[in-house]
Every structure is written in structure tokens, then in C-alpha cells.
Amino acid sequence: ADALFWAGRAAAARRAYLAANEHYNALMARYADHPRLAETLLAQGDVLSELGQFPAAILAFNEVIVKFPQQPEAMMAWGRKGDCQYTLGQENPARYEEALLSYRTLLDFAGAPVDLRLQAGFKIGRCLEKMGRSAAALDRYMEVVYSYLQEVRPPAEATVWFTRSAFAAAALQERAGRWKEAFGIYRRVADSDAPAAPEAGDRMERIRTEHWVLF
């Protein structure tokens, strides 16, 4: 069972996704009670996503959620299920509502680490934006920004979602012509230790130059 699992991981690492899926199927067929079953289903959902088989990937993630609701894999499955639903929303906007539910479930998952919670928050905002609910999206993005800034030592992964949320919020403010508000959001990134701080500074300078009368 372990050999099949790692063969699947190795195949996925070299982007041989069909081969990876075959290894995972063989593992589950031969060792239905193996301790790695949740991890295998999660990995299978990932390779199906890479193959563009999003409905099948959702089924794999759902199986993790139903069979292993208290394991960490279930928490990750909610997020990845939401990603699949979000992608399908490009052709069927009703899927954005489904993705929203998945991300909210991840956000409320007991014991979810800060980076996953911030990721879920950003993706909730992204769904709301796609659904035309800009004010709600702005609020959600800013919740991520404030949550990150309250962390004493946020993990590096969390910085990605802080930056993406701040830039998404600032972009909404810019589109609404609220230049001072956008400037203030960029300042939060510029004053942080995030790798995107210099870019945020450049965006502040652009706003100051183009709308100097406000400053």
C-alpha cells in the first residue's frame, strides 16, 4: 500500500497524472482499510483537478469529507472542493455559491491554521466579487488584512493571502474612485515585511502622482 501511495506521489510530481490516478485506484481497491486512505483520496482529487476533471475531483474530496470528517485531510478537502467549484463557476455561475459554502466551512473548521483561514477568507471574497457583491467582497478582503496584522508571528504562507486580499481590496476601491482608501490599503502592505511591500509602495506613488490634488 505504501509503495502504491508513493508511486502515485512520484507520478504526480513528474506530472504523469493518469499514472498517478491508476496507482491511487489500485491502492484503494486492494487496501480499502489502509490508514493512508484519506491522504490517498485527497491526492487523487488533486490529480483529477490537474487533469481538468473537476466533477470527479469533487467526488473524491467529498469522500474524504464524509468518511474522515475529523481528520486534517477533510479540512483541506473542503478548500480544494471549493477551488473546483470556483473553476466550474466560469461556465455555471451557480457554482460560485457552492464554492462560497465550501470556503465558509473551511473557515469555520475547528483547529484550522491561520494560513488556511486567511486563504479561505480571500477566496470567499473572490467568490463574492464574481457574484457582483463588491461591498461584501471588500469587507471580507479587509477581514483577512486585519486578521493577518493582528498575528504576532504569521506564517510565511499567510503573507500570500494577506497580500492578495489587500491588493484585491485596493483594486475594488480604485475601481470605485476611492483613491484615498486604496492608498491606505496599499500603505498597510508597504509598511509590512511582505515581499510585495515595494510593489505596494509603487502603487501608492502612482495614486499620489495621478491624483495629487487629494494629497
Side-chain angles (χ1 to χ4, degrees), residues 121-122 125-126 129 133-146 160-189 203 206-207:
F122 166 77
R126 187 176 61 173
E129 198 171 348
R133 298 166 59 184
S134 297
L138 177 62
D139 288 343
R140 182 60 66 173
Y141 290 141
M142 293 309 297
E143 284 181 20
V144 174
V145 171
Y146 295 138
V160 173
W161 306 110
F162 158 68
T163 303
R164 293 185 68 176
S165 294
F167 282 3
L172 284 173
Q173 297 286 36
E174 288 197 54
R175 287 198 290 273
R178 294 190 285 264
W179 305 107
K180 281 191 173 182
E181 288 81 353
F183 187 92
I185 296 170
Y186 288 132
R187 181 184 292 280
R188 293 182 183 277
V189 181
R203 296 187 184 198
R206 171 179 55 79
I207 292 175

Side-chain angles (χ1 to χ4, degrees), residues 109-143:
F109 206 97
V114 61
D115 58 305
L116 279 185
R117 286 191 285 106
L118 296 186
Q119 180 181 165
F122 166 77
K123 290 179 176 179
I124 287 171
R126 187 176 61 173
C127 286
L128 291 167
E129 198 171 348
K130 285 288 188 180
M131 295 163 69
R133 298 166 59 184
S134 297
L138 177 62
D139 288 343
R140 182 60 66 173
Y141 290 141
M142 293 309 297
E143 284 181 20

Side-chain angles (χ1 to χ4, degrees), residues 7-200:
R9 291 290 296 271
R14 68 174 189 274
R15 300 184 180 180
Y17 299 120
L18 288 173
N21 192 42
E22 290 176 3
H23 290 308
Y24 296 143
N25 279 331
L27 190 162
M28 290 184 286
R30 299 179 197 175
Y31 308 98
D33 296 324
H34 194 269
R36 284 195 185 275
L37 189 57
E39 197 174 354
T40 302
L41 282 165
L42 189 69
Q44 183 177 53
D46 288 340
V47 299
L48 290 169
S49 297
E50 292 289 352
L51 289 167
Q53 299 179 21
F54 299 109
I58 289 172
L59 289 176
F61 295 136
N62 274 337
E63 198 165 353
V64 179
I65 291 164
V66 171
K67 290 184 175 179
F68 310 96
Q70 303 304 319
Q71 293 192 23
E73 286 81 6
M75 176 175 57
M76 292 183 281
W78 275 112
R80 295 177 191 179
K81 176 183 174 182
D83 292 343
C84 292
Q85 292 163 329
Y86 179 85
T87 301
L88 291 171
Q90 297 174 22
E91 296 183 358
N92 179 8
R95 289 285 196 167
Y96 291 130
E97 192 70 50
E98 297 175 5
L100 198 61
L101 176 60
S102 295
Y103 293 136
R104 283 175 170 160
T105 303
L106 171 57
L107 189 66
D108 295 336
F109 206 97
V114 61
D115 58 305
L116 279 185
R117 286 191 285 106
L118 296 186
Q119 180 181 165
F122 166 77
K123 290 179 176 179
I124 287 171
R126 187 176 61 173
C127 286
L128 291 167
E129 198 171 348
K130 285 288 188 180
M131 295 163 69
R133 298 166 59 184
S134 297
L138 177 62
D139 288 343
R140 182 60 66 173
Y141 290 141
M142 293 309 297
E143 284 181 20
V144 174
V145 171
Y146 295 138
S147 295
Y148 175 86
L149 293 174
Q150 289 172 1
E151 292 289 328
V152 178
R153 292 183 180 178
E157 296 85 353
T159 304
V160 173
W161 306 110
F162 158 68
T163 303
R164 293 185 68 176
S165 294
F167 282 3
L172 284 173
Q173 297 286 36
E174 288 197 54
R175 287 198 290 273
R178 294 190 285 264
W179 305 107
K180 281 191 173 182
E181 288 81 353
F183 187 92
I185 296 170
Y186 288 132
R187 181 184 292 280
R188 293 182 183 277
V189 181
D191 290 345
S192 73
D193 293 328
E199 182 181 348

